[in-house]
Amino acid sequence: MSIYVDVKELGSVQAPWGREVRLQEVEIDGGLTILRVRIREGRRFTDLELTREKAVEIGEAITAWGRNAPGE
C-alpha cells in the first residue's frame, strides 16, 4: 500500500548534460503536502522532498544566485 494519496505533475525542465528536473506536488497519507524535485539522469532518479518552507528557502537562494550573475 502506498503512503502517497495524490501526485500532481507541476512541470519539468530540461537541465544541462541530459538531465531532466521534474516538480511534483505530493500529498502523503495523513494530510502532509510536499514538493518532490525529481532529477532524472538516464535511468537513475534522485528525489528531494521538501516542505513548503524549505521550498521557499531554496527557491529564494536559487533566485538570488541567478540575479547576481557576474558581469550583469
Side-chain angles (χ1 to χ4, degrees), residues 7-53:
V7 178
K8 294 179 186 170
E9 295 292 331
L10 301 177
S12 64
V13 175
Q14 294 302 312
W17 302 288
R19 293 183 178 117
E20 176 189 29
V21 179
R22 178 172 289 169
L23 301 176
Q24 300 172 321
E25 181 181 82
V26 179
E27 184 182 346
I28 297 175
D29 188 23
L32 178 64
T33 300
I34 59 171
L35 176 69
R36 176 186 292 150
V37 180
R38 174 169 279 181
I39 303 169
R40 183 181 58 81
E41 302 176 75
R43 292 184 295 189
R44 179 178 173 208
F45 290 89
T46 301
D47 288 344
L48 176 62
E49 295 179 340
L50 305 168
T51 62
R52 290 187 187 276
E53 295 79 15

